[in-house]
Amino acid sequence: MKDRAVNRARLRDSIETLGRVGLDDSGFRTRLALDDGDKAGRDLLVSWLEASGLEVKVDSIGNIFGILPGDEPGDPVMLGSHIDTVRHAGKFDGCVGVLGGLEVLRTVAERGISHRRSLAVAAFTNEEGARFAPDMMGSLVLAEEVSVEDMYSHVDDDGVSVGEELERIGYRGSDRVRPSAYLEIHVEQGPYLDMKGVPLGVVDGVQGIAWWQGRYVGQANHAGTTPMGMRNDSLLAVSHLHVKMTELAESMGGCATIGRISVDPHIINVIPGETGFTLDLRHPDREKFASMKEEAEGTMDELAERFGLEVRYSREADVAPVSFDEELVSMIQSVADERGLSSTHLWSGAGHDAQIMSHIVPSAMIFVPSIGGKSHCPQEDSDFDQIADGVDVLLECAVRLANR
Ligand code: HGY
Ligand code: MN
Ligand code: MN
Ligand code: MN
């Protein structure tokens, strides 16, 4: 087993180095999909892939792949995640999966570990969906669940499109890489492993995730002269939606988040004429996920009726709950056991590219603890030895899959 261990110092160094890309003057890290920070991160990753002697490929949506050819031709065993971030992000979300995968390929190459199948590491475009919807855009295109032409037309708040940005940063490729199996290591981003004091999570599945962009249109009016009973207050509907969705999620054991609102004209003495909002709903159970989505749209319509408003909304993302491949899940479990790593099974609260990849090939995930359970914020933190222990498990599983 000795040769089946990665270079911990190099892994830590690559996470720290990438973590310094996209820092602003106040020290906050942001690499929104296809922005200059993301480009800088991509360029750094490609330089590492090339320096490691891997074959670099870029596909039509800008997914980046590093390939270590196996003894036989055929689709690679793929390890991956993403390096785009939310705003003011941590340095572990996604990066542990991409740089952990790179470290596995570097170790296999250096140690001359034999592998029949090729191995690949992937960095998927726009996993976060923080700038362009939908999230997990890169893996959705690879899985052929959305058309890349349609994705090219999706725009950010400033009307800049995915297609333009891919051209601008030089990552609109034409390669096509399809895996034979997919493994992703990721920080848990929740409190469970850390609270239980368990160093490794064997992920059974990922909860469903649905996103809406919406807008209530009422009537801007004077804050002092308009009687309360004669208002068409668009913000009031969003406020009620927030409470109702929170109560729905609590009653169903799911999650509901209104992460963005925009109020127009946003003036202290004017009743909000228009209020834009986003809604993120999640649930691990298929039926409950479906009924939450139905309830959400019914509530959006009812509130428009009740407050004399118009409402427009569109479902920007909708990915069903998935259970991972049982054989891969038990392989992760037995490798953790062999390495004397205590582990526990859990479901993922966060969405991941593995959720999409599991639609086309056997897929599974390994979690490492998030200290304090924080993520999508600068306080995101994980222990580098626990990360390396998880990547050692990833290495062993990848080699077994490549020789199966
Ligand atoms: O939103 C999510 O769950 C993931 O971090 N993109
Ligand atoms: Mn992530
Ligand atoms: Mn994330
Ligand atoms: Mn579209």
Side-chain angles (χ1 to χ4, degrees):
M1 264 308 195
K2 182 72 196 77
D3 70 347
R4 296 283 164 86
V6 296
N7 179 327
R8 296 185 168 226
R10 181 172 59 191
L11 173 60
R12 172 168 189 157
D13 181 56
S14 57
I15 294 171
E16 299 277 28
T17 305
L18 179 55
R20 286 192 287 274
V21 175
L23 290 180
D24 62 21
D25 305 345
S26 340
F28 288 117
R29 175 185 303 103
T30 302
R31 296 194 301 271
L32 298 183
L34 311 182
D35 74 2
D36 291 341
D38 187 33
K39 171 176 171 40
R42 287 165 168 267
D43 293 348
L44 177 64
L45 174 65
V46 167
S47 71
W48 285 341
L49 298 177
E50 288 167 344
S52 309
L54 302 177
E55 206 185 327
V56 178
K57 291 187 182 261
V58 178
D59 72 7
S60 59
I61 194 67
N63 294 324
I64 298 168
F65 305 96
I67 298 170
L68 183 67
D71 304 336
E72 293 169 10
D75 292 335
V77 171
M78 188 178 284
L79 317 173
S81 195
H82 63 96
I83 61 170
D84 67 300
T85 72
V86 296
R87 185 168 293 112
H88 298 180
K91 63 186 163 196
F92 298 100
D93 176 359
C95 301
V96 164
V98 175
L99 301 177
L102 170 58
E103 184 51 40
V104 165
L105 269 60
R106 280 169 160 164
T107 303
V108 168
E110 277 162 5
R111 302 279 175 95
I113 298 171
S114 68
H115 53 104
R116 259 182 344 94
R117 285 183 179 278
S118 300
L119 291 167
V121 56
F124 288 106
T125 295
N126 188 33
E127 187 278 345
E128 292 292 2
R131 181 184 177 196
F132 302 103
D135 59 341
M136 301 182 265
M137 186 184 277
S139 40
L140 284 168
V141 168
L142 194 157
E144 297 178 288
E145 295 187 15
V146 294
S147 92
V148 71
E149 295 307 326
D150 178 27
M151 294 302 105
Y152 286 157
S153 68
H154 285 207
V155 295
D156 66 7
D157 292 348
D158 301 323
V160 179
S161 76
V162 167
E164 287 167 299
E165 285 294 83
L166 279 170
E167 289 288 352
R168 182 181 70 83
I169 66 169
Y171 280 91
R172 185 165 165 168
S174 55
D175 296 322
R176 177 116 180 85
V177 180
R178 195 183 162 84
S180 57
Y182 179 78
L183 290 173
E184 179 167 356
I185 183 168
H186 205 289
V187 289
E188 179 204 336
Q189 299 183 287
Y192 187 65
L193 294 175
D194 189 39
M195 282 190 328
K196 276 190 74 138
V198 172
L200 190 130
V202 182
V203 188
D204 291 314
V206 186
Q207 66 176 341
I209 173 172
W211 284 359
W212 288 264
Q213 296 264 8
R215 193 163 192 79
Y216 279 100
V217 179
Q219 178 59 55
N221 213 328
H222 196 295
T225 59
T226 314
M228 294 310 285
M230 292 174 67
R231 295 177 176 220
N232 302 105
D233 180 346
S234 60
L235 178 56
L236 191 55
V238 177
S239 311
H240 279 261
L241 181 67
H242 192 186
V243 171
K244 287 177 178 291
M245 290 300 100
T246 302
E247 289 167 349
L248 174 70
E250 285 165 347
S251 67
M252 303 274 282
C255 299
T257 308
I258 290 192
R260 299 184 72 180
I261 69 166
S262 60
V263 179
D264 293 314
H266 206 226
I267 304 285
I268 186 166
N269 57 358
V270 181
I271 299 165
E274 298 198 16
T275 303
F277 66 89
T278 62
L279 175 64
D280 173 320
L281 287 186
R282 313 225 184 172
H283 204 289
D285 175 88
R286 272 181 185 279
E287 281 68 49
K288 289 185 178 165
F289 181 56
S291 76
M292 278 180 81
K293 290 187 286 186
E294 210 180 308
E295 175 96 15
E297 294 190 354
T299 304
M300 288 178 207
D301 296 335
E302 268 157 43
L303 291 169
E305 181 90 18
R306 178 171 163 194
F307 296 115
L309 309 168
E310 266 174 56
V311 68
R312 297 189 296 275
Y313 52 81
S314 59
R315 213 181 284 190
E316 299 288 319
D318 188 353
V319 184
V322 295
S323 300
F324 286 133
D325 179 87
E326 281 175 14
E327 211 186 323
L328 294 192
V329 170
S330 53
M331 179 191 282
I332 292 168
Q333 177 67 64
S334 44
V335 170
D337 296 347
E338 287 160 24
R339 303 186 74 91
L341 265 177
S342 75
S343 63
T344 183
H345 286 246
L346 74 167
W347 269 68
S348 175
H352 298 288
D353 292 304
Q355 190 168 6
I356 307 300
M357 300 308 284
S358 72
H359 298 166
I360 57 169
V361 291
S363 301
M365 291 189 80
I366 297 166
F367 272 173
V368 291
S370 290
I371 297 167
K374 290 195 177 62
S375 183
H376 282 189
C377 61
Q379 295 76 20
E380 182 182 272
D381 193 14
S382 285
D383 175 88
F384 280 101
D385 273 326
Q386 289 185 333
I387 291 171
D389 289 342
V391 176
D392 283 344
V393 172
L394 182 73
L395 165 64
E396 182 59 33
C397 292
V399 171
R400 288 188 190 181
L401 280 175
N403 287 312
R404 209 167 39 166

